[in-house]
Amino acid sequence: QVQLAESGGGSVQAGGSLRLSCARSGYPYSGNCMGWFRQVPGKEREGVATIYSRTISTDYADSVKGRFTISLNNNKDTVYLQMDSLKPEDTAMYYCAARIGVYSASGCLRSNPYTYWGQGTQVTVSS
């Protein structure tokens, strides 16, 4: 069973930076996707960024391109989201997610259904 543990949320002023981390346990093999999604109460969940472990291919939402960077550690079991130039509209609950048994980068796109989810970490950006 895959488990995800997030950390790194918090409050920051607009223009600031935060780094989210998510450690995955329970699936030691390659061929998996990890990503970050966010949700504001009353709105649909939005895919922020995803990454494919085999090729390090990434997929970003247009709203965060150039400001957020997703990456993996050397063991490819921890995913990071470096968030720079934060805006108040980035305020949301951020969730780490994973898919396993993926054999191409297209399987990691944000539009795919992700199977495993973390509990979420709040990010609040004040103006």
Side-chain angles (χ1 to χ4, degrees):
Q1 182 73 8
V2 174
Q3 294 184 323
L4 302 172
E6 302 137 328
S7 61
S11 298
V12 66
Q13 289 192 326
S17 298
L18 283 173
R19 189 192 197 203
L20 306 182
S21 300
C22 173
R24 187 193 75 246
S25 60
Y27 186 77
Y29 310 108
S30 65
N32 60 80
C33 320
M34 295 187 75
W36 293 95
F37 295 73
R38 66 187 181 187
Q39 189 167 24
V40 175
K43 293 189 176 182
E44 289 189 0
R45 186 171 57 202
E46 175 190 22
V48 177
T50 59
I51 189 165
Y52 181 42
S53 65
R54 285 182 174 168
T55 62
I56 319 300
S57 299
T58 57
D59 180 32
Y60 290 94
D62 288 342
S63 59
V64 306
K65 282 181 181 177
R67 301 188 298 120
F68 292 9
T69 304
I70 190 169
S71 62
L72 294 169
N73 68 342
N74 288 338
N75 288 339
K76 299 183 179 179
D77 59 5
T78 300
V79 64
Y80 304 99
L81 186 68
Q82 177 66 40
M83 303 185 293
D84 298 319
S85 302
L86 282 160
K87 303 176 181 179
E89 50 264 43
D90 294 318
T91 296
M93 183 71 77
Y94 283 69
Y95 297 91
C96 177
R99 297 186 77 202
I100 62 174
V102 178
Y103 300 100
S104 70
S106 62
C108 290
L109 295 176
R110 294 172 292 118
S111 56
N112 285 291
Y114 275 64
T115 311
Y116 301 96
W117 294 86
Q119 293 188 334
T121 184
Q122 178 68 35
V123 170
T124 302
V125 184
S126 58
S127 57

